[in-house]
Amino acid sequence: MESSDIKNAGLKLTLPRMKILDLLENSIDRHLKAEDIYKMLLDSGEEIALATVYRVLTQFEAAQLVTRHHFDGGHAVFEINDGAHHDHLVDISSGQVVEFYDEIIEQRQKAIAKQNNFTITEHTMILYGHFDKAKKEDVD
């Protein structure tokens, strides 16, 4: 995503918008809370108010540049909308989020919808649970 995407969304190219977009694009964690973004901006010496961060994220969401999720107890997290569908695994202890895509699951959902004369216009799958640390370390 580039600064031209901000312009194409009908938004003016401002320093706060560019900084927030840059953080969302370059953060190791793809799912960030507004407060996390605010802290990252403060840590980098930027003086952007928390209210501005919320306003920019809401504007980005309306322009479909980011997607808002409510994974852990109602706290909103934001991720760049890169246009590629994926689902999420959420560890309810740590809040860790892992993205995944499985074609078999996607085909099964379409088949179930067809069996029920249902047209899917949008969907989200979020699986909540715990990562088994021993098994996860074996994979890493």
PDB file of all heavy atoms in Angstrom, residues 102-138:
ATOM      1  N   ASP A 102      -7.245 -21.682   4.037  1.00  0.00           N
ATOM      2  CA  ASP A 102      -7.366 -23.097   3.692  1.00  0.00           C
ATOM      3  C   ASP A 102      -8.434 -23.243   2.619  1.00  0.00           C
ATOM      4  O   ASP A 102      -9.611 -22.973   2.875  1.00  0.00           O
ATOM      5  CB  ASP A 102      -7.727 -23.904   4.939  1.00  0.00           C
ATOM      6  CG  ASP A 102      -7.733 -25.395   4.665  1.00  0.00           C
ATOM      7  OD1 ASP A 102      -8.649 -25.870   3.949  1.00  0.00           O
ATOM      8  OD2 ASP A 102      -6.826 -26.088   5.158  1.00  0.00           O
ATOM      9  N   GLU A 103      -8.034 -23.668   1.452  1.00  0.00           N
ATOM     10  CA  GLU A 103      -8.953 -23.773   0.320  1.00  0.00           C
ATOM     11  C   GLU A 103     -10.075 -24.780   0.588  1.00  0.00           C
ATOM     12  O   GLU A 103     -11.214 -24.573   0.164  1.00  0.00           O
ATOM     13  CB  GLU A 103      -8.199 -24.155  -0.958  1.00  0.00           C
ATOM     14  CG  GLU A 103      -9.058 -24.179  -2.196  1.00  0.00           C
ATOM     15  CD  GLU A 103      -9.738 -22.840  -2.505  1.00  0.00           C
ATOM     16  OE1 GLU A 103      -9.137 -21.785  -2.262  1.00  0.00           O
ATOM     17  OE2 GLU A 103     -10.885 -22.869  -3.000  1.00  0.00           O
ATOM     18  N   ILE A 104      -9.774 -25.859   1.303  1.00  0.00           N
ATOM     19  CA  ILE A 104     -10.803 -26.863   1.598  1.00  0.00           C
ATOM     20  C   ILE A 104     -11.909 -26.243   2.463  1.00  0.00           C
ATOM     21  O   ILE A 104     -13.099 -26.458   2.212  1.00  0.00           O
ATOM     22  CB  ILE A 104     -10.194 -28.107   2.276  1.00  0.00           C
ATOM     23  CG1 ILE A 104      -9.259 -28.812   1.294  1.00  0.00           C
ATOM     24  CG2 ILE A 104     -11.279 -29.051   2.775  1.00  0.00           C
ATOM     25  CD1 ILE A 104      -8.417 -29.911   1.906  1.00  0.00           C
ATOM     26  N   ILE A 105     -11.519 -25.455   3.466  1.00  0.00           N
ATOM     27  CA  ILE A 105     -12.517 -24.782   4.311  1.00  0.00           C
ATOM     28  C   ILE A 105     -13.348 -23.826   3.462  1.00  0.00           C
ATOM     29  O   ILE A 105     -14.577 -23.767   3.589  1.00  0.00           O
ATOM     30  CB  ILE A 105     -11.838 -24.037   5.484  1.00  0.00           C
ATOM     31  CG1 ILE A 105     -11.246 -25.044   6.475  1.00  0.00           C
ATOM     32  CG2 ILE A 105     -12.824 -23.089   6.179  1.00  0.00           C
ATOM     33  CD1 ILE A 105     -10.400 -24.420   7.569  1.00  0.00           C
ATOM     34  N   GLU A 106     -12.701 -23.068   2.594  1.00  0.00           N
ATOM     35  CA  GLU A 106     -13.409 -22.108   1.748  1.00  0.00           C
ATOM     36  C   GLU A 106     -14.414 -22.828   0.837  1.00  0.00           C
ATOM     37  O   GLU A 106     -15.555 -22.385   0.693  1.00  0.00           O
ATOM     38  CB  GLU A 106     -12.425 -21.284   0.915  1.00  0.00           C
ATOM     39  CG  GLU A 106     -11.461 -20.443   1.733  1.00  0.00           C
ATOM     40  CD  GLU A 106     -12.144 -19.455   2.651  1.00  0.00           C
ATOM     41  OE1 GLU A 106     -13.125 -18.799   2.228  1.00  0.00           O
ATOM     42  OE2 GLU A 106     -11.703 -19.321   3.810  1.00  0.00           O
ATOM     43  N   GLN A 107     -13.998 -23.934   0.230  1.00  0.00           N
ATOM     44  CA  GLN A 107     -14.891 -24.701  -0.648  1.00  0.00           C
ATOM     45  C   GLN A 107     -16.052 -25.290   0.131  1.00  0.00           C
ATOM     46  O   GLN A 107     -17.187 -25.330  -0.342  1.00  0.00           O
ATOM     47  CB  GLN A 107     -14.113 -25.798  -1.385  1.00  0.00           C
ATOM     48  CG  GLN A 107     -13.118 -25.273  -2.391  1.00  0.00           C
ATOM     49  CD  GLN A 107     -13.766 -24.367  -3.429  1.00  0.00           C
ATOM     50  OE1 GLN A 107     -14.857 -24.623  -3.922  1.00  0.00           O
ATOM     51  NE2 GLN A 107     -13.093 -23.264  -3.736  1.00  0.00           N
ATOM     52  N   ARG A 108     -15.786 -25.763   1.334  1.00  0.00           N
ATOM     53  CA  ARG A 108     -16.837 -26.348   2.184  1.00  0.00           C
ATOM     54  C   ARG A 108     -17.891 -25.297   2.533  1.00  0.00           C
ATOM     55  O   ARG A 108     -19.090 -25.569   2.515  1.00  0.00           O
ATOM     56  CB  ARG A 108     -16.156 -26.890   3.437  1.00  0.00           C
ATOM     57  CG  ARG A 108     -16.755 -27.984   4.173  1.00  0.00           C
ATOM     58  CD  ARG A 108     -17.218 -29.185   3.401  1.00  0.00           C
ATOM     59  NE  ARG A 108     -18.310 -29.711   4.182  1.00  0.00           N
ATOM     60  CZ  ARG A 108     -19.556 -29.867   3.760  1.00  0.00           C
ATOM     61  NH1 ARG A 108     -19.871 -29.641   2.517  1.00  0.00           N
ATOM     62  NH2 ARG A 108     -20.489 -30.287   4.568  1.00  0.00           N
ATOM     63  N   GLN A 109     -17.448 -24.076   2.849  1.00  0.00           N
ATOM     64  CA  GLN A 109     -18.382 -23.000   3.165  1.00  0.00           C
ATOM     65  C   GLN A 109     -19.272 -22.692   1.959  1.00  0.00           C
ATOM     66  O   GLN A 109     -20.485 -22.497   2.106  1.00  0.00           O
ATOM     67  CB  GLN A 109     -17.615 -21.733   3.585  1.00  0.00           C
ATOM     68  CG  GLN A 109     -16.952 -21.880   4.932  1.00  0.00           C
ATOM     69  CD  GLN A 109     -16.004 -20.734   5.239  1.00  0.00           C
ATOM     70  OE1 GLN A 109     -15.529 -20.030   4.355  1.00  0.00           O
ATOM     71  NE2 GLN A 109     -15.717 -20.544   6.518  1.00  0.00           N
ATOM     72  N   LYS A 110     -18.680 -22.664   0.769  1.00  0.00           N
ATOM     73  CA  LYS A 110     -19.452 -22.393  -0.450  1.00  0.00           C
ATOM     74  C   LYS A 110     -20.469 -23.508  -0.702  1.00  0.00           C
ATOM     75  O   LYS A 110     -21.604 -23.249  -1.095  1.00  0.00           O
ATOM     76  CB  LYS A 110     -18.516 -22.250  -1.650  1.00  0.00           C
ATOM     77  CG  LYS A 110     -17.699 -20.984  -1.614  1.00  0.00           C
ATOM     78  CD  LYS A 110     -16.684 -20.937  -2.744  1.00  0.00           C
ATOM     79  CE  LYS A 110     -15.777 -19.727  -2.597  1.00  0.00           C
ATOM     80  NZ  LYS A 110     -14.675 -19.737  -3.551  1.00  0.00           N
ATOM     81  N   ALA A 111     -20.053 -24.753  -0.465  1.00  0.00           N
ATOM     82  CA  ALA A 111     -20.952 -25.891  -0.673  1.00  0.00           C
ATOM     83  C   ALA A 111     -22.135 -25.838   0.305  1.00  0.00           C
ATOM     84  O   ALA A 111     -23.285 -26.088  -0.083  1.00  0.00           O
ATOM     85  CB  ALA A 111     -20.183 -27.202  -0.513  1.00  0.00           C
ATOM     86  N   ILE A 112     -21.856 -25.519   1.555  1.00  0.00           N
ATOM     87  CA  ILE A 112     -22.923 -25.423   2.562  1.00  0.00           C
ATOM     88  C   ILE A 112     -23.891 -24.303   2.184  1.00  0.00           C
ATOM     89  O   ILE A 112     -25.116 -24.461   2.279  1.00  0.00           O
ATOM     90  CB  ILE A 112     -22.325 -25.209   3.973  1.00  0.00           C
ATOM     91  CG1 ILE A 112     -21.597 -26.479   4.425  1.00  0.00           C
ATOM     92  CG2 ILE A 112     -23.405 -24.805   4.975  1.00  0.00           C
ATOM     93  CD1 ILE A 112     -20.718 -26.290   5.650  1.00  0.00           C
ATOM     94  N   ALA A 113     -23.352 -23.183   1.743  1.00  0.00           N
ATOM     95  CA  ALA A 113     -24.209 -22.060   1.323  1.00  0.00           C
ATOM     96  C   ALA A 113     -25.081 -22.491   0.149  1.00  0.00           C
ATOM     97  O   ALA A 113     -26.293 -22.230   0.138  1.00  0.00           O
ATOM     98  CB  ALA A 113     -23.353 -20.851   0.950  1.00  0.00           C
ATOM     99  N   LYS A 114     -24.508 -23.174  -0.821  1.00  0.00           N
ATOM    100  CA  LYS A 114     -25.260 -23.618  -1.999  1.00  0.00           C
ATOM    101  C   LYS A 114     -26.366 -24.594  -1.606  1.00  0.00           C
ATOM    102  O   LYS A 114     -27.504 -24.487  -2.097  1.00  0.00           O
ATOM    103  CB  LYS A 114     -24.318 -24.268  -3.017  1.00  0.00           C
ATOM    104  CG  LYS A 114     -24.984 -24.627  -4.311  1.00  0.00           C
ATOM    105  CD  LYS A 114     -23.984 -25.165  -5.313  1.00  0.00           C
ATOM    106  CE  LYS A 114     -24.687 -25.505  -6.617  1.00  0.00           C
ATOM    107  NZ  LYS A 114     -23.743 -26.021  -7.609  1.00  0.00           N
ATOM    108  N   GLN A 115     -26.062 -25.526  -0.702  1.00  0.00           N
ATOM    109  CA  GLN A 115     -27.064 -26.489  -0.239  1.00  0.00           C
ATOM    110  C   GLN A 115     -28.251 -25.800   0.419  1.00  0.00           C
ATOM    111  O   GLN A 115     -29.361 -26.334   0.428  1.00  0.00           O
ATOM    112  CB  GLN A 115     -26.444 -27.455   0.791  1.00  0.00           C
ATOM    113  CG  GLN A 115     -25.458 -28.425   0.223  1.00  0.00           C
ATOM    114  CD  GLN A 115     -24.678 -29.145   1.315  1.00  0.00           C
ATOM    115  OE1 GLN A 115     -24.886 -28.931   2.517  1.00  0.00           O
ATOM    116  NE2 GLN A 115     -23.752 -30.007   0.903  1.00  0.00           N
ATOM    117  N   ASN A 116     -28.014 -24.631   0.952  1.00  0.00           N
ATOM    118  CA  ASN A 116     -29.058 -23.899   1.665  1.00  0.00           C
ATOM    119  C   ASN A 116     -29.607 -22.714   0.870  1.00  0.00           C
ATOM    120  O   ASN A 116     -30.277 -21.852   1.440  1.00  0.00           O
ATOM    121  CB  ASN A 116     -28.516 -23.419   3.018  1.00  0.00           C
ATOM    122  CG  ASN A 116     -28.311 -24.575   3.978  1.00  0.00           C
ATOM    123  OD1 ASN A 116     -29.265 -25.070   4.556  1.00  0.00           O
ATOM    124  ND2 ASN A 116     -27.082 -25.031   4.109  1.00  0.00           N
ATOM    125  N   ASN A 117     -29.326 -22.706  -0.446  1.00  0.00           N
ATOM    126  CA  ASN A 117     -29.775 -21.603  -1.303  1.00  0.00           C
ATOM    127  C   ASN A 117     -29.400 -20.248  -0.713  1.00  0.00           C
ATOM    128  O   ASN A 117     -30.212 -19.330  -0.629  1.00  0.00           O
ATOM    129  CB  ASN A 117     -31.286 -21.676  -1.551  1.00  0.00           C
ATOM    130  CG  ASN A 117     -31.658 -22.926  -2.315  1.00  0.00           C
ATOM    131  OD1 ASN A 117     -30.964 -23.308  -3.253  1.00  0.00           O
ATOM    132  ND2 ASN A 117     -32.736 -23.568  -1.904  1.00  0.00           N
ATOM    133  N   PHE A 118     -28.161 -20.154  -0.299  1.00  0.00           N
ATOM    134  CA  PHE A 118     -27.661 -18.975   0.394  1.00  0.00           C
ATOM    135  C   PHE A 118     -26.493 -18.397  -0.392  1.00  0.00           C
ATOM    136  O   PHE A 118     -25.622 -19.135  -0.860  1.00  0.00           O
ATOM    137  CB  PHE A 118     -27.195 -19.380   1.803  1.00  0.00           C
ATOM    138  CG  PHE A 118     -26.721 -18.250   2.653  1.00  0.00           C
ATOM    139  CD1 PHE A 118     -27.626 -17.422   3.302  1.00  0.00           C
ATOM    140  CD2 PHE A 118     -25.361 -18.014   2.831  1.00  0.00           C
ATOM    141  CE1 PHE A 118     -27.188 -16.386   4.112  1.00  0.00           C
ATOM    142  CE2 PHE A 118     -24.916 -16.981   3.630  1.00  0.00           C
ATOM    143  CZ  PHE A 118     -25.831 -16.161   4.274  1.00  0.00           C
ATOM    144  N   THR A 119     -26.469 -17.080  -0.542  1.00  0.00           N
ATOM    145  CA  THR A 119     -25.366 -16.419  -1.229  1.00  0.00           C
ATOM    146  C   THR A 119     -24.490 -15.728  -0.195  1.00  0.00           C
ATOM    147  O   THR A 119     -24.954 -14.845   0.534  1.00  0.00           O
ATOM    148  CB  THR A 119     -25.897 -15.364  -2.229  1.00  0.00           C
ATOM    149  OG1 THR A 119     -26.742 -16.011  -3.164  1.00  0.00           O
ATOM    150  CG2 THR A 119     -24.749 -14.674  -2.947  1.00  0.00           C
ATOM    151  N   ILE A 120     -23.237 -16.133  -0.127  1.00  0.00           N
ATOM    152  CA  ILE A 120     -22.281 -15.510   0.790  1.00  0.00           C
ATOM    153  C   ILE A 120     -21.808 -14.202   0.156  1.00  0.00           C
ATOM    154  O   ILE A 120     -21.332 -14.198  -0.976  1.00  0.00           O
ATOM    155  CB  ILE A 120     -21.069 -16.428   1.054  1.00  0.00           C
ATOM    156  CG1 ILE A 120     -21.502 -17.733   1.702  1.00  0.00           C
ATOM    157  CG2 ILE A 120     -20.030 -15.713   1.919  1.00  0.00           C
ATOM    158  CD1 ILE A 120     -20.395 -18.777   1.820  1.00  0.00           C
ATOM    159  N   THR A 121     -21.959 -13.119   0.887  1.00  0.00           N
ATOM    160  CA  THR A 121     -21.445 -11.839   0.396  1.00  0.00           C
ATOM    161  C   THR A 121     -20.152 -11.455   1.112  1.00  0.00           C
ATOM    162  O   THR A 121     -19.350 -10.697   0.584  1.00  0.00           O
ATOM    163  CB  THR A 121     -22.482 -10.709   0.593  1.00  0.00           C
ATOM    164  OG1 THR A 121     -22.822 -10.633   1.968  1.00  0.00           O
ATOM    165  CG2 THR A 121     -23.728 -10.973  -0.240  1.00  0.00           C
ATOM    166  N   GLU A 122     -19.971 -11.986   2.295  1.00  0.00           N
ATOM    167  CA  GLU A 122     -18.774 -11.709   3.083  1.00  0.00           C
ATOM    168  C   GLU A 122     -18.739 -12.712   4.220  1.00  0.00           C
ATOM    169  O   GLU A 122     -19.780 -13.165   4.677  1.00  0.00           O
ATOM    170  CB  GLU A 122     -18.865 -10.291   3.644  1.00  0.00           C
ATOM    171  CG  GLU A 122     -17.671  -9.826   4.403  1.00  0.00           C
ATOM    172  CD  GLU A 122     -17.836  -8.386   4.889  1.00  0.00           C
ATOM    173  OE1 GLU A 122     -18.557  -7.599   4.257  1.00  0.00           O
ATOM    174  OE2 GLU A 122     -17.236  -8.083   5.929  1.00  0.00           O
ATOM    175  N   HIS A 123     -17.552 -13.065   4.661  1.00  0.00           N
ATOM    176  CA  HIS A 123     -17.475 -13.937   5.838  1.00  0.00           C
ATOM    177  C   HIS A 123     -16.153 -13.753   6.560  1.00  0.00           C
ATOM    178  O   HIS A 123     -15.166 -13.314   5.974  1.00  0.00           O
ATOM    179  CB  HIS A 123     -17.689 -15.414   5.476  1.00  0.00           C
ATOM    180  CG  HIS A 123     -16.469 -16.097   4.972  1.00  0.00           C
ATOM    181  ND1 HIS A 123     -16.065 -16.037   3.657  1.00  0.00           N
ATOM    182  CD2 HIS A 123     -15.557 -16.858   5.606  1.00  0.00           C
ATOM    183  CE1 HIS A 123     -14.956 -16.746   3.504  1.00  0.00           C
ATOM    184  NE2 HIS A 123     -14.625 -17.248   4.671  1.00  0.00           N
ATOM    185  N   THR A 124     -16.191 -14.098   7.840  1.00  0.00           N
ATOM    186  CA  THR A 124     -15.014 -14.065   8.680  1.00  0.00           C
ATOM    187  C   THR A 124     -15.037 -15.312   9.550  1.00  0.00           C
ATOM    188  O   THR A 124     -16.071 -15.658  10.107  1.00  0.00           O
ATOM    189  CB  THR A 124     -15.031 -12.827   9.603  1.00  0.00           C
ATOM    190  OG1 THR A 124     -15.116 -11.658   8.809  1.00  0.00           O
ATOM    191  CG2 THR A 124     -13.799 -12.754  10.455  1.00  0.00           C
ATOM    192  N   MET A 125     -13.892 -15.968   9.637  1.00  0.00           N
ATOM    193  CA  MET A 125     -13.798 -17.101  10.551  1.00  0.00           C
ATOM    194  C   MET A 125     -12.679 -16.805  11.537  1.00  0.00           C
ATOM    195  O   MET A 125     -11.548 -16.503  11.142  1.00  0.00           O
ATOM    196  CB  MET A 125     -13.491 -18.411   9.837  1.00  0.00           C
ATOM    197  CG  MET A 125     -13.399 -19.535  10.846  1.00  0.00           C
ATOM    198  SD  MET A 125     -13.438 -21.236  10.256  1.00  0.00           S
ATOM    199  CE  MET A 125     -12.423 -21.259   8.859  1.00  0.00           C
ATOM    200  N   ILE A 126     -13.031 -16.853  12.811  1.00  0.00           N
ATOM    201  CA  ILE A 126     -12.067 -16.642  13.879  1.00  0.00           C
ATOM    202  C   ILE A 126     -12.168 -17.837  14.807  1.00  0.00           C
ATOM    203  O   ILE A 126     -13.237 -18.127  15.348  1.00  0.00           O
ATOM    204  CB  ILE A 126     -12.363 -15.344  14.660  1.00  0.00           C
ATOM    205  CG1 ILE A 126     -12.435 -14.141  13.720  1.00  0.00           C
ATOM    206  CG2 ILE A 126     -11.310 -15.132  15.742  1.00  0.00           C
ATOM    207  CD1 ILE A 126     -12.994 -12.896  14.378  1.00  0.00           C
ATOM    208  N   LEU A 127     -11.068 -18.536  14.981  1.00  0.00           N
ATOM    209  CA  LEU A 127     -11.016 -19.683  15.883  1.00  0.00           C
ATOM    210  C   LEU A 127     -10.286 -19.267  17.152  1.00  0.00           C
ATOM    211  O   LEU A 127      -9.170 -18.743  17.086  1.00  0.00           O
ATOM    212  CB  LEU A 127     -10.301 -20.859  15.212  1.00  0.00           C
ATOM    213  CG  LEU A 127     -10.883 -21.315  13.869  1.00  0.00           C
ATOM    214  CD1 LEU A 127     -10.027 -22.396  13.238  1.00  0.00           C
ATOM    215  CD2 LEU A 127     -12.312 -21.792  14.055  1.00  0.00           C
ATOM    216  N   TYR A 128     -10.929 -19.458  18.296  1.00  0.00           N
ATOM    217  CA  TYR A 128     -10.348 -19.082  19.581  1.00  0.00           C
ATOM    218  C   TYR A 128      -9.872 -20.331  20.306  1.00  0.00           C
ATOM    219  O   TYR A 128     -10.520 -21.369  20.254  1.00  0.00           O
ATOM    220  CB  TYR A 128     -11.395 -18.365  20.449  1.00  0.00           C
ATOM    221  CG  TYR A 128     -11.835 -17.041  19.887  1.00  0.00           C
ATOM    222  CD1 TYR A 128     -12.950 -16.951  19.062  1.00  0.00           C
ATOM    223  CD2 TYR A 128     -11.136 -15.880  20.178  1.00  0.00           C
ATOM    224  CE1 TYR A 128     -13.361 -15.734  18.541  1.00  0.00           C
ATOM    225  CE2 TYR A 128     -11.539 -14.657  19.661  1.00  0.00           C
ATOM    226  CZ  TYR A 128     -12.651 -14.590  18.839  1.00  0.00           C
ATOM    227  OH  TYR A 128     -13.048 -13.394  18.326  1.00  0.00           O
ATOM    228  N   GLY A 129      -8.753 -20.225  20.985  1.00  0.00           N
ATOM    229  CA  GLY A 129      -8.224 -21.352  21.738  1.00  0.00           C
ATOM    230  C   GLY A 129      -6.871 -21.015  22.321  1.00  0.00           C
ATOM    231  O   GLY A 129      -6.582 -19.851  22.621  1.00  0.00           O
ATOM    232  N   HIS A 130      -6.044 -22.044  22.456  1.00  0.00           N
ATOM    233  CA  HIS A 130      -4.708 -21.883  23.032  1.00  0.00           C
ATOM    234  C   HIS A 130      -3.695 -22.560  22.122  1.00  0.00           C
ATOM    235  O   HIS A 130      -3.934 -23.671  21.644  1.00  0.00           O
ATOM    236  CB  HIS A 130      -4.630 -22.533  24.419  1.00  0.00           C
ATOM    237  CG  HIS A 130      -5.605 -21.958  25.393  1.00  0.00           C
ATOM    238  ND1 HIS A 130      -5.384 -20.773  26.045  1.00  0.00           N
ATOM    239  CD2 HIS A 130      -6.819 -22.388  25.797  1.00  0.00           C
ATOM    240  CE1 HIS A 130      -6.416 -20.509  26.818  1.00  0.00           C
ATOM    241  NE2 HIS A 130      -7.298 -21.473  26.687  1.00  0.00           N
ATOM    242  N   PHE A 131      -2.571 -21.907  21.925  1.00  0.00           N
ATOM    243  CA  PHE A 131      -1.470 -22.537  21.204  1.00  0.00           C
ATOM    244  C   PHE A 131      -0.748 -23.460  22.166  1.00  0.00           C
ATOM    245  O   PHE A 131      -0.446 -23.084  23.293  1.00  0.00           O
ATOM    246  CB  PHE A 131      -0.491 -21.501  20.650  1.00  0.00           C
ATOM    247  CG  PHE A 131      -1.056 -20.713  19.504  1.00  0.00           C
ATOM    248  CD1 PHE A 131      -1.352 -19.373  19.649  1.00  0.00           C
ATOM    249  CD2 PHE A 131      -1.304 -21.320  18.287  1.00  0.00           C
ATOM    250  CE1 PHE A 131      -1.875 -18.645  18.595  1.00  0.00           C
ATOM    251  CE2 PHE A 131      -1.828 -20.597  17.224  1.00  0.00           C
ATOM    252  CZ  PHE A 131      -2.114 -19.261  17.379  1.00  0.00           C
ATOM    253  N   ASP A 132      -0.493 -24.683  21.727  1.00  0.00           N
ATOM    254  CA  ASP A 132       0.285 -25.641  22.512  1.00  0.00           C
ATOM    255  C   ASP A 132       1.750 -25.257  22.335  1.00  0.00           C
ATOM    256  O   ASP A 132       2.323 -25.457  21.280  1.00  0.00           O
ATOM    257  CB  ASP A 132       0.022 -27.064  22.013  1.00  0.00           C
ATOM    258  CG  ASP A 132       0.759 -28.113  22.810  1.00  0.00           C
ATOM    259  OD1 ASP A 132       1.741 -27.777  23.487  1.00  0.00           O
ATOM    260  OD2 ASP A 132       0.351 -29.281  22.728  1.00  0.00           O
ATOM    261  N   LYS A 133       2.347 -24.688  23.384  1.00  0.00           N
ATOM    262  CA  LYS A 133       3.710 -24.181  23.291  1.00  0.00           C
ATOM    263  C   LYS A 133       4.714 -25.244  22.869  1.00  0.00           C
ATOM    264  O   LYS A 133       5.593 -24.996  22.064  1.00  0.00           O
ATOM    265  CB  LYS A 133       4.132 -23.539  24.604  1.00  0.00           C
ATOM    266  CG  LYS A 133       3.386 -22.266  24.925  1.00  0.00           C
ATOM    267  CD  LYS A 133       3.939 -21.656  26.188  1.00  0.00           C
ATOM    268  CE  LYS A 133       3.234 -20.499  26.762  1.00  0.00           C
ATOM    269  NZ  LYS A 133       2.406 -19.621  26.135  1.00  0.00           N
ATOM    270  N   ALA A 134       4.576 -26.443  23.370  1.00  0.00           N
ATOM    271  CA  ALA A 134       5.528 -27.506  23.042  1.00  0.00           C
ATOM    272  C   ALA A 134       5.447 -27.827  21.545  1.00  0.00           C
ATOM    273  O   ALA A 134       6.461 -27.937  20.876  1.00  0.00           O
ATOM    274  CB  ALA A 134       5.240 -28.748  23.869  1.00  0.00           C
ATOM    275  N   LYS A 135       4.248 -27.956  21.020  1.00  0.00           N
ATOM    276  CA  LYS A 135       4.092 -28.277  19.596  1.00  0.00           C
ATOM    277  C   LYS A 135       4.505 -27.108  18.728  1.00  0.00           C
ATOM    278  O   LYS A 135       5.090 -27.278  17.685  1.00  0.00           O
ATOM    279  CB  LYS A 135       2.660 -28.693  19.295  1.00  0.00           C
ATOM    280  CG  LYS A 135       2.309 -30.037  19.858  1.00  0.00           C
ATOM    281  CD  LYS A 135       0.905 -30.446  19.477  1.00  0.00           C
ATOM    282  CE  LYS A 135       0.588 -31.800  20.085  1.00  0.00           C
ATOM    283  NZ  LYS A 135      -0.776 -32.213  19.808  1.00  0.00           N
ATOM    284  N   LYS A 136       4.198 -25.883  19.147  1.00  0.00           N
ATOM    285  CA  LYS A 136       4.556 -24.692  18.380  1.00  0.00           C
ATOM    286  C   LYS A 136       6.064 -24.570  18.277  1.00  0.00           C
ATOM    287  O   LYS A 136       6.594 -24.233  17.233  1.00  0.00           O
ATOM    288  CB  LYS A 136       3.953 -23.424  18.988  1.00  0.00           C
ATOM    289  CG  LYS A 136       4.193 -22.210  18.147  1.00  0.00           C
ATOM    290  CD  LYS A 136       3.252 -21.119  18.494  1.00  0.00           C
ATOM    291  CE  LYS A 136       3.415 -19.838  17.733  1.00  0.00           C
ATOM    292  NZ  LYS A 136       4.281 -19.741  16.651  1.00  0.00           N
ATOM    293  N   GLU A 137       6.798 -24.867  19.384  1.00  0.00           N
ATOM    294  CA  GLU A 137       8.258 -24.778  19.357  1.00  0.00           C
ATOM    295  C   GLU A 137       8.828 -25.820  18.411  1.00  0.00           C
ATOM    296  O   GLU A 137       9.846 -25.588  17.760  1.00  0.00           O
ATOM    297  CB  GLU A 137       8.812 -24.945  20.761  1.00  0.00           C
ATOM    298  CG  GLU A 137       8.515 -23.744  21.651  1.00  0.00           C
ATOM    299  CD  GLU A 137       8.862 -23.973  23.109  1.00  0.00           C
ATOM    300  OE1 GLU A 137       9.380 -25.052  23.444  1.00  0.00           O
ATOM    301  OE2 GLU A 137       8.602 -23.060  23.915  1.00  0.00           O
ATOM    302  N   ASP A 138       8.193 -26.992  18.299  1.00  0.00           N
ATOM    303  CA  ASP A 138       8.661 -28.019  17.352  1.00  0.00           C
ATOM    304  C   ASP A 138       8.566 -27.528  15.922  1.00  0.00           C
ATOM    305  O   ASP A 138       9.395 -27.863  15.094  1.00  0.00           O
ATOM    306  CB  ASP A 138       7.849 -29.319  17.503  1.00  0.00           C
ATOM    307  CG  ASP A 138       8.116 -30.004  18.832  1.00  0.00           C
ATOM    308  OD1 ASP A 138       9.161 -29.706  19.465  1.00  0.00           O
ATOM    309  OD2 ASP A 138       7.289 -30.834  19.243  1.00  0.00           O
TER     310      ASP A 138
END
